Amino acid sequence: MQNEYEIKKEICDIGKRIYNRGMVASNDGNISVKLNDHEFLCTPTGVSKGFMTPEFICKVNEKGEVIQANPGFKPSSEIKMHMRVYKERPDVQSVVHAHPIYATSFAIAGIPLTQPIMPEAVIALGCVPIAEYGTPSTEEIPDAVSKYLQYFDAVLLENHGALSYSDSLLAAYHKMESVEFYAQLLYQSRMLGGPKELSKQQVERLYEIRRQFGMTGKHPADVCVNNKDGKPSCHSCGGNCHSAGASDDKAAVIAEITKKVMEQLGM
Ligand SMILES: [Zn+2]
């Protein structure tokens, strides 16, 4: 098991990967790791996440209050968002927030990632909803994100960025990479005339693989209303409009229907 210093070093390493991949600009983004129910490590505000060393890392309690921080370092201004995830998802050990270009562009355009276009994204993420806009550092973002926490392991933050979380720091970071890759593929395939989506049957077979693997975390395949009727879910809910056909902007229709389904689910 890693000691605290090793975890701090890993946070710095992941910070470098986030920065080097262009998933943040300037001092943006933040990372946290749960040590136990009352102690969490988090990145400081006001520093580039690409150039951190272990002494930059702050320690906070479950309310986000500082337990330990070296002079000149203050915990991330988004710590409330991280703490809400830990509170409502006891399985989560790490939270990553960044502003990757493609995912954030979808979040700004108000388009959730719902089209099933590649196996890995369907298995790992299902789809990625958009949590309603909130002012950074207030309770607005935690409240908006809260609705989606029990159903997804990654969400877009409207007009802001993306949030991912998982049972380890590396897994939470990988979720962020997967969200961005999915968003980039979706964007670029739209430039090429629009993606050819996987069929409902293909999606259902991928969900089956996910179940067989016994993958951890939350996934929309496990919760959808249609799923309860033994029908394929999530993408296929949005996919009810696949037969609606003629619209050029099918993605917008799917996004709208997915939104409605999510509202009906109380999500
Ligand atoms: Zn942000």
Side-chain angles (χ1 to χ4, degrees):
M1 199 180 148
Q2 285 176 303
N3 65 32
E4 210 172 296
Y5 185 75
E6 287 166 341
I7 298 171
K8 288 180 179 177
K9 276 206 312 200
E10 194 188 352
I11 292 174
C12 298
D13 287 343
I14 296 292
K16 257 185 213 113
R17 292 173 74 171
I18 289 173
Y19 184 78
N20 291 343
R21 280 187 71 106
M23 291 175 148
V24 288
S26 181
N27 298 331
D28 298 348
N30 32 73
I31 304 167
S32 67
V33 172
K34 181 178 179 175
L35 297 174
N36 56 57
D37 286 348
H38 307 293
E39 293 179 301
F40 302 81
L41 296 177
C42 72
T43 52
T45 187
V47 306
S48 168
K49 305 309 174 288
F51 300 88
M52 298 184 297
T53 52
E55 62 276 13
F56 283 35
I57 307 302
C58 305
K59 194 194 274 189
V60 297
N61 66 15
E62 67 272 27
K63 292 180 195 145
E65 298 161 343
V66 181
I67 297 174
Q68 196 273 322
N70 286 325
F73 297 105
K74 277 198 319 201
S76 162
S77 56
E78 293 296 356
I79 195 67
K80 289 180 189 140
M81 172 172 75
H82 291 241
M83 289 304 137
R84 184 67 73 91
V85 179
Y86 293 117
K87 188 176 172 199
E88 298 186 5
R89 284 284 302 274
D91 59 311
V92 165
Q93 294 294 321
S94 179
V95 178
V96 171
H97 166 55
H99 306 155
I101 300 248
Y102 289 92
T104 305
S105 298
F106 276 89
I108 289 170
I111 305 170
L113 309 178
T114 56
Q115 289 179 277
I117 55 167
M118 67 166 322
E120 286 80 357
V122 171
I123 292 175
L125 301 166
C127 34
V128 184
I130 302 179
E132 297 70 23
Y133 181 76
T135 308
S137 85
T138 68
E139 289 293 341
E140 291 171 17
I141 296 181
D143 288 346
V145 164
S146 170
K147 286 189 227 171
Y148 301 96
L149 287 176
Q150 301 309 321
Y151 311 99
F152 302 91
D153 282 350
V155 294
L156 302 182
L157 307 174
E158 192 173 20
N159 289 84
H160 181 168
L163 184 70
S164 61
Y165 32 93
S166 194
D167 51 9
S168 74
L169 172 52
L170 188 61
Y173 167 70
H174 279 159
K175 285 256 148 83
M176 185 61 75
E177 268 193 2
S178 297
V179 168
E180 176 61 353
F181 192 56
Y182 178 16
Q184 185 172 2
L185 289 173
L186 197 51
Y187 179 88
Q188 288 180 340
S189 55
R190 284 182 180 198
M191 295 298 105
L192 295 170
K196 186 171 148 297
E197 291 182 12
L198 299 174
S199 69
K200 287 183 187 181
Q201 275 175 326
Q202 287 166 332
V203 168
E204 187 48 42
R205 280 165 69 186
L206 294 169
Y207 285 168
E208 192 48 45
I209 288 173
R210 184 186 158 88
R211 289 181 201 112
Q212 282 168 7
F213 283 176
M215 289 171 73
T216 57
K218 307 283 186 184
H219 190 283
D222 303 328
V223 295
C224 174
V225 273
N226 273 350
N227 203 30
K228 286 184 193 136
D229 301 334
K231 292 177 197 159
S233 59
C234 189
H235 288 303
S236 309
C237 283
N240 285 343
C241 63
H242 284 185
S243 53
S247 166
D248 271 349
D249 199 357
K250 205 160 82 169
V253 178
I254 292 171
E256 191 47 45
I257 290 179
T258 303
K259 259 187 188 161
K260 282 191 185 131
V261 171
M262 286 174 174
E263 278 165 22
Q264 281 167 15
L265 279 166
M267 292 160 67

